[in-house]
């Protein structure tokens, strides 16, 4: 057990001088080999010095993460990308200039400056420049290169609030920076630039349409992440693990709204009869139609950003309430909705029922 310092920022969107002093101290902790959890525009990250192999090992240990699952290297200045990755391919600069700082990660050939402990043994490295001002300041103060996976215990939903990080990592890391709620609430889009046709390894807020438009050619999703087959091998090693999952069993029900409500009520009535605590993840439009112990409204069916923003918070609330059998509606599967449904399907371990 280590004593975890909780640093509450006064103004995360425009750090005050007290905040900047706190971020300087947090940067120093990372430079000395320590671990600091911090907010970004996507989810909270667990940061360590990306160029120090011992720090990367400490990150895996604190999260209980398998060490073949590589870490994303976070930078604060565009020119730093070329110090860890081969940026010579024209698409790399094009995408970096268009979407950084922001919720996009590029997978590129790794330079020797990056320890293989950070890349999970791969010769490629994932790089991202977050737009969150707290994250940028911390990265600069930490020496410019911060390895940061999501700041959850491996297997749990990613944290979208400092409270979630405290639940998972207090006593396991040196400091947690409390910058409030993360605006996006789902992890970055990962784009593989080590193959001839750039491919999305993990969908996120930067959509396939936005990437295709920027590159002037169609960018596809890794087919393995759309497949629910048990033997599908996604190229981002992290996407193969059961992930983002609540402790209760989760089933997605997809189809026309009336039938979905009826099917979910039927499934949960059976679970209740068996003595289980039941829960529903519902859109605002249908929430009033359910019978369950707890019903969480995730947002309006047409509002992908709102649904994405609330997903992990609700999965964690289901855990807090001890819900054993959870049903969720399926949500729109286009644009950012692709990322939302990807995480929801993984959380459900493939359990999806289609009704007509
Ligand atoms: P997280 O840090 O929790 O957001 O997870 C990072 C994700 O990036 C995981 O799914 C990793 O497998 C993926 N990733 C990191 N580095 C690479 C890489 N070099 N090649 C492919 N995927 C990567
Ligand atoms: Mg993660």
């Amino acid at each position: 057990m280590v004593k975890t310092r909780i640093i509450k920022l006064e103004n995360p969107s425009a750090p005050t001088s007290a905040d900047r002093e706190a971020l300087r101290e947090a940067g120093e902790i990372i430079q000395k080999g320590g671990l600091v959890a911090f907010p970004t525009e996507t989810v909270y990250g667990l940061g360590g010095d990306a160029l120090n192999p011992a720090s990367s090992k400490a990150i895996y240990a604190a999260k209980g993460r398998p060490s073949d699952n590589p870490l994303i290297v976070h930078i604060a200045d565009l020119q730093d990308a070329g110090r860890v990755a081969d940026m010579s391919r024209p698409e790399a600069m094009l995408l970096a200039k268009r979407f950084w700082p922001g919720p996009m990660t590029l997978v590129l050939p790794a330079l020797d400056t990056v320890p293989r402990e950070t890349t999970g043994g791969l010769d490629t490295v994932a790089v991202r420049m977050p737009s969150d001002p707290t994250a940028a300041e911390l990265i600069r103060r930490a020496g410019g290169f911060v390895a940061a996976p999501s700041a959850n215990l491996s297997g749990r939903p990613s944290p979208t609030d400092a409270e979630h990080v405290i639940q998972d990592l207090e006593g396991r890391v040196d400091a947690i920076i409390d910058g409030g709620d993360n605006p996006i609430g789902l992890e970055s889009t990962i784009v593989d630039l080590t193959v001839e046709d750039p491919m999305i390894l993990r969908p996120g807020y930067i959509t396939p349409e936005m990437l295709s438009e920027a590159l002037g050619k169609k960018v596809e999703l890794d087919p393995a992440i759309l497949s629910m087959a048990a033997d599908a091998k996604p190229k981002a090693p992290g996407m193969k693990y059961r992930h983002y999952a609540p402790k209760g069993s989760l089933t997605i029900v997809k189809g026309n709204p009336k039938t979905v409500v009826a099917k979910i009520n039927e499934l949960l009535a059976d679970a209740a009869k068996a003595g289980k605590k039941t829960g529903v993840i519902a859109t605002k439009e249908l929430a009033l139609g359910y019978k369950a112990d707890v019903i969480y409204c995730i947002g309006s069916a047409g509002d992908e950003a709102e649904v994405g923003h609330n997903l992990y918070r609700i999965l964690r609330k289901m855990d807090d309430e001890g819900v054993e059998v959870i049903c969720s509606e399926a949500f729109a599967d286009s644009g950012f909705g692709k990322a939302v449904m990807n995480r929801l399907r993984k959380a459900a371990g493939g359990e999806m029922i289609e009704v007509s």
Side-chain angles (χ1 to χ4, degrees), residues 43 63 65 69 149-152 155-156 158-159 187 202 243-244:
V43 301
K63 275 182 66 87
R65 175 170 174 139
N69 185 0
S150 49
N152 52 300
R156 292 212 72 199
S158 295
E187 303 84 348
R202 177 174 72 186
H243 235 313
Y244 321 115

Side-chain angles (χ1 to χ4, degrees), residues 4-5 7 26 30 35-39 44-48 138 151 159 165-166 169 173-178:
T4 302
R5 197 174 140 196
I7 301 170
I30 292 179
L35 302 185
V36 177
F38 63 98
Y44 272 75
L46 172 57
L138 176 70
V165 184
I166 293 170
L169 296 180
V173 301
D174 299 292
I176 296 171
I177 298 173
D178 180 351

